[in-house]
Amino acid sequence: MDFSEIINYPYPDTAVENDITECLNSGKYLPSYAFHVQQYLTKRINHFAPYVNDAKYQAHFVFMQDFNLQNLDPFIAQTLKVKKPIRKKYLTEKLKKDIPANMAGSYVFSIPGDDDKIHIIVGLGYHDNPLMSVYDGIKAFMYTMQRRKIYAEYFENINRQRWMWRDGGMNDSRIEQMLKATNFNYEKVSKIYQTYSTIQADVGAGAYLLIKAMQTGSQENILKVEDFVLSHAAANSSGLIDNNNGTAACEFPVMQKMINLIKQNGISVYVDAQGWVNWETLYNHTLAETKNIGYTPHMMIDANKKEGVLLKSLDKQYPDRKQLLNILKWTPEGKTDKILQDFITAQEFSLQHPLPNNNLQSFYSSLANPETRKTAAGDKKFNFLSNIKQYRQVLESKLYSY
């Protein structure tokens, strides 16, 4: 399947309903389009892996639905080269929890093996539809490159200390307390890293989709992808209010600039003669634009306490988003604060270009994790789905696990 087919893959409600029925009956979350996405991403994995793997790092790409969570020992001991019993126990428990939780998306986690390599687990899943699933997959590629690119030496030392404490029996909550107490800049660097890594991964994935759309030569495909990535970036800006994501939610200006640069300058710098994307160039350009977002370290560190608190207060007073934006524009902060100005621009775009409201696909994605399947499916936003009562009745009578 080529990229044009990914963009235009038909996934009508009847197909989604069939997938939901199959999931409820078998317990297995596996969209009917999964094979095509897996085939597409596998070819890219084979091309991407040499950009990451070297004497120090080894990435392992796994489609999460194929994980045998009941027998992880071969993967942990033989693939990841992890032999220490306490480390194996920790990783087994973590994967059994994290893989189902991220089944409708992607997952990246690294661990030092006994072969002195840093092994990166790259879990790939399926989210809503084929295009979104490829987008999430490429985001995982970007997160994988970041392991050896963004403050790598700093976080290698931090993670070395973290694993020493884990091996000594310390839990993750206590480890975080210790890291904050023994590394005076740990919290600051972590917040800056969160902004750079989150934005770069999204912008890298969005830029990749646009490059592939431009390769098809179809203006319709280009416009579809441009609207897709910009609408998602704009919608993500709500994370500054809703999820305490701080400046990690502020990807829209970077995405918009990167999309415009690629459309203006063409794709030749990003692809070789055979049409393969140069992952190093894509990564470097999107990281450079991310770092040029115009936020100082203190702005990134204080965003939740400053802009986030202000927006939460306004959101309580003005739950209508358009009214909130009109009020915000006239505040002293809205006139001078770049984070708030970027938020206004992103939210106005989001109001004009709302994400497709496909609650049936969202409902199906909510079934991915068997541990939270019943609770997620009970969300009142799904109440108006035509078959929701039947779906919930089936869920009540089932006991699922991976």
Side-chain angles (χ1 to χ4, degrees):
M1 178 173 282
D2 63 22
F3 189 72
S4 183
E5 291 174 291
I6 291 287
I7 297 172
N8 299 295
Y9 189 90
Y11 193 44
D13 286 354
T14 52
V16 186
E17 287 169 348
N18 287 337
D19 285 345
I20 290 170
T21 301
E22 176 62 26
C23 178
L24 295 179
N25 289 332
S26 68
K28 184 78 170 177
Y29 174 80
L30 190 67
S32 51
Y33 61 77
F35 171 77
H36 300 294
V37 170
Q38 183 168 343
Q39 190 179 46
Y40 181 87
L41 287 176
T42 297
K43 290 181 179 178
R44 275 75 207 168
I45 289 168
N46 294 334
H47 184 258
F48 172 78
Y51 285 84
V52 177
N53 297 337
D54 56 20
K56 191 174 185 180
Y57 293 89
Q58 181 72 43
H60 307 277
F61 297 85
V62 182
F63 288 90
M64 288 184 281
Q65 281 75 5
D66 298 333
F67 245 118
N68 183 357
L69 292 178
Q70 306 310 313
N71 184 23
L72 285 167
D73 191 69
F75 178 73
I76 293 173
Q78 298 168 25
T79 303
L80 302 181
K81 314 297 183 188
V82 175
K83 304 292 176 63
K84 295 177 181 178
I86 193 166
R87 197 171 290 191
K88 287 173 67 175
K89 182 176 183 293
Y90 173 88
L91 190 56
T92 298
E93 291 174 353
K94 184 170 181 61
L95 292 178
K96 284 186 175 182
K97 178 183 177 182
D98 289 358
I99 293 299
N102 291 281
M103 196 73 73
S106 58
Y107 176 69
V108 180
F109 182 75
S110 59
I111 184 170
D114 290 344
D115 57 352
D116 294 326
K117 277 192 175 186
I118 296 172
H119 291 265
I120 309 171
I121 304 164
V122 189
L124 303 171
Y126 309 100
H127 185 192
D128 282 11
N129 56 64
L131 186 60
M132 190 70 207
S133 299
V134 169
Y135 179 79
D136 272 349
I138 303 303
K139 275 176 64 175
F141 287 17
M142 297 295 104
Y143 279 123
T144 303
M145 288 196 82
Q146 290 171 12
R147 298 290 164 135
R148 54 190 297 270
K149 293 278 192 176
I150 302 182
Y151 304 147
E153 186 175 344
Y154 176 85
F155 282 107
E156 281 174 27
N157 291 331
I158 290 290
N159 285 331
R160 191 176 297 113
Q161 182 64 70
R162 182 181 276 125
W163 283 107
M164 285 176 59
W165 283 331
R166 279 176 182 151
D167 291 344
M170 193 179 293
N171 64 40
D172 283 351
S173 177
R174 178 59 179 156
I175 287 172
E176 285 301 300
Q177 293 175 6
M178 291 292 291
L179 287 172
K180 292 173 184 177
T182 57
N183 296 271
F184 76 95
N185 61 351
Y186 172 71
E187 282 189 277
K188 295 178 181 178
V189 175
S190 295
K191 286 187 177 180
I192 295 169
Y193 176 85
Q194 182 190 19
T195 291
Y196 288 163
S197 64
T198 304
I199 292 178
Q200 188 282 318
D202 272 310
V203 174
Y208 172 87
L209 295 190
L210 182 65
I211 291 165
K212 300 306 292 183
M214 291 176 69
Q215 282 184 314
T216 70
S218 164
Q219 189 62 28
E220 182 181 358
N221 286 344
I222 294 169
L223 291 175
K224 278 185 180 179
V225 165
E226 183 179 2
D227 186 67
F228 173 86
V229 297
L230 288 176
S231 295
H232 276 86
N236 285 347
S237 65
S238 292
L240 189 57
I241 300 178
D242 302 333
N243 303 316
N244 295 319
N245 288 343
T247 48
C250 301
E251 69 192 63
F252 182 77
V254 185
M255 186 78 83
Q256 190 174 50
K257 184 177 180 182
M258 196 71 210
I259 294 298
N260 289 337
L261 286 173
I262 293 173
K263 289 179 68 179
Q264 291 168 11
N265 300 330
I267 64 173
S268 60
V269 70
Y270 299 104
V271 298
D272 62 21
Q274 287 73 44
W276 288 98
V277 168
N278 184 310
W279 299 102
E280 191 90 25
T281 302
L282 175 66
Y283 175 86
N284 288 339
H285 282 204
T286 51
L287 180 61
E289 291 302 332
T290 297
K291 289 185 174 181
N292 286 333
I293 193 171
Y295 303 155
T296 67
H298 283 294
M299 290 169 71
M300 289 183 266
I301 292 164
D302 296 335
N304 281 332
K305 294 184 291 185
K306 187 179 176 186
E307 291 83 2
V309 167
L310 173 63
L311 289 173
K312 280 184 174 65
S313 174
L314 289 175
D315 191 48
K316 287 181 180 178
Q317 298 175 64
Y318 310 102
D320 178 78
R321 189 54 52 91
K322 188 173 182 180
Q323 186 181 16
L324 183 153
L325 296 176
N326 288 335
I327 297 295
L328 181 60
K329 287 178 185 178
W330 289 99
T331 64
E333 296 89 345
K335 293 179 180 180
T336 58
D337 187 300
K338 176 166 172 51
I339 292 175
L340 293 176
Q341 290 169 353
D342 287 344
F343 173 83
I344 292 168
T345 302
Q347 286 290 301
E348 287 182 336
F349 185 95
S350 189
L351 289 172
Q352 296 167 9
H353 303 263
L355 291 174
N357 188 21
N358 195 317
N359 276 294
L360 194 63
Q361 290 182 10
S362 297
F363 175 76
Y364 181 44
S365 291
S366 78
L367 304 178
N369 183 0
E371 299 297 324
T372 60
R373 191 167 283 169
K374 293 178 182 179
T375 302
D379 193 316
K380 63 182 180 181
K381 71 182 178 183
F382 299 128
N383 284 350
F384 66 89
L385 293 179
S386 58
N387 295 320
I388 191 62
K389 288 184 179 179
Q390 297 94 306
Y391 295 151
R392 287 170 177 165
Q393 285 173 357
V394 174
L395 279 166
E396 284 302 314
S397 65
K398 296 282 187 176
L399 180 64
Y400 300 110
S401 65
Y402 274 115

